[in-house]
Structures are given as C-alpha cells and as structure tokens.
Amino acid sequence: MLKTISGICLGMLALAGCSSGEEPQAPAASASASSPSAASAKLRAALLPVPDGMHVAYGPELGAFGKLKSTQQGIAALRQAKLQRPECAGAAQLDIEQPDIAGAPAAVIAFAAERGSITQAVVSLPSESFPKPLPRQCASYTADVGGTQVTYTTRTLKMPPKGDESRAYLTSAAGGEKNAQIGSVMIRRGTVVMSMLVVGQKVKAQGLYELARLADKNLEQVA
C-alpha cells in the first residue's frame, strides 16, 4: 500500500520524500551528497523523533537543500509527471530553483508504517522567506503519474498559528485503484522553515495539528 500511495504523491510535491515509490535505506548523516555543515547538523535537533508505530525510512540526511538525495528524487519525479497545471507542481512550497534556497543548510527525515508516511524537512535560509499561499487554480487539477490519471483536490486547513508564520493543507489524491490523502504543514521561525508531509489513506486534521505542534516545539529550539 505504501508504495502505491507514494506513487500517487509524485505529481504534487518535490519537497522531502513524497518523491519515491520505494523506501530507501536510511543513510548516515555523513553520507549526504554534500558534506553536512555545522548549520545542517544543528538543524537535526529540529527533526521529530520516531512516532509510535513507525520506523525511520530515510535519513536523517544533512547538507545543502538542493543537493540532498531526497530533494533530487522529488525534482526527478515532478519532471516525469505530466501536470494539467504545471505551475502547481511546487506551489506553496520552497522554490528549489532559487540558488539561495538550493544552497541553504537542511535536514530531512522520513518515517513509514503500513498506514502511511511522514516526511519532514528543516531548512535554514539566508533571510526570512515563506512560500505564498496556494494559488486558487491549484486547488484542483489532474496529473498523469506513470500512466495513471490522478486528480488532486486541496483545501486550506484552519490550523492554530505556529511560529512566525504557518500554513497547512489537506490534499485528496484520487486515481487508479488506490486513493490517498496528503497533509502538508509549513512553519517559519525567523529564517528557519520546517516543511512536513503526512501521507496515508486517511489523514486527520487534528493528528496533523499535533504533529505540527511537536515540530514547532523542536523548531523553536534551533531557530
């Protein structure tokens, strides 16, 4: 089930782990594509501990955000998917095409269980920056993901405010034999941005808010 759900996620986001239909082996932090800097190592403290009933599927991976294996996999996945609205591919997410974001220190980790997955990325930017809200035209669109037509429908959640800025969405992905939901959260504290994706057949808003609370508590320690 997890492989199918991850595949559905391909056409939506390049950031952190909704990028592969497989669960890669967790690399040591020193095995990053770029040598992890002290700044990246500091960000590791902001990552969530392993949630109950889940295991580490990937990471922690440290280094420049644009050079991380998880980021590169996400970019490759988006290039393979054919979106009805190409502008929606990275909407409401950090723009990896910007050199200052691609080169920013980052830490990424992914957890998995039979019921779904959680992927978290923490990025330390050179200045305060936060993605714009999801454009109206990206609230519903279709994509061809590996020959399967998938329809994405997204709504903005009324999550209790976190950090200096925060935003949360819940996306339903329908296509093929399996449907999935993708909960996404972004929180900024100062120049540090945390992004989290929760993927499963059913993602509850309250559960997403609790994960956001825990993530923000960790983020406060390193921002």
Side-chain angles (χ1 to χ4, degrees):
M1 181 183 74
L2 189 60
K3 182 171 182 178
T4 303
I5 289 176
S6 298
I8 288 176
C9 213
L10 289 180
M12 182 185 171
L13 299 170
L15 182 61
C18 224
S19 56
S20 175
E22 300 178 356
E23 295 180 24
Q25 295 297 314
S30 60
S32 172
S34 58
S35 298
S37 64
S40 294
K42 179 182 177 182
L43 296 177
R44 184 172 182 170
L47 297 176
L48 291 169
V50 182
D52 290 343
M54 305 190 81
H55 64 272
V56 175
Y58 189 86
E61 186 183 17
L62 311 177
F65 187 48
K67 292 185 178 181
L68 296 182
K69 182 178 179 180
S70 52
T71 307
Q72 290 296 316
Q73 286 181 333
I75 293 172
L78 283 178
R79 288 173 178 168
Q80 292 173 7
K82 299 177 181 178
L83 276 66
Q84 175 195 15
R85 303 183 192 277
E87 70 274 15
C88 297
Q93 298 293 320
L94 293 173
D95 186 0
I96 198 66
E97 298 296 328
Q98 296 186 21
D100 58 339
I101 293 178
V108 175
I109 195 167
F111 309 105
E114 180 61 23
R115 65 183 182 273
S117 65
I118 299 172
T119 307
Q120 183 188 24
V122 183
V123 187
S124 181
L125 302 172
S127 60
E128 293 183 1
S129 180
F130 200 63
K132 295 180 180 179
L134 188 75
R136 183 175 299 179
Q137 69 270 23
C138 296
S140 181
Y141 66 94
T142 60
D144 185 313
V145 182
T148 299
Q149 284 292 117
V150 181
T151 299
Y152 298 95
T153 305
T154 301
R155 62 185 176 94
T156 302
L157 297 177
K158 296 181 179 180
M159 183 179 71
K162 298 287 184 295
D164 297 318
E165 291 183 88
S166 61
R167 210 167 281 131
Y169 301 97
L170 184 60
T171 298
S172 295
E177 298 180 357
K178 296 287 185 179
N179 297 333
Q181 289 189 324
I182 306 110
S184 60
V185 173
M186 294 201 77
I187 302 171
R188 179 184 69 81
R189 281 189 175 272
T191 60
V192 181
V193 174
M194 189 286 304
S195 177
M196 180 167 53
L197 300 177
V198 180
V199 182
Q201 287 188 317
K202 182 68 175 180
V203 176
K204 296 181 179 180
Q206 289 302 321
L208 193 65
Y209 298 164
E210 175 60 16
L211 286 170
R213 185 189 69 81
L214 295 173
D216 187 45
K217 186 176 180 180
N218 284 358
L219 191 64
E220 187 177 11
Q221 298 175 14
V222 302

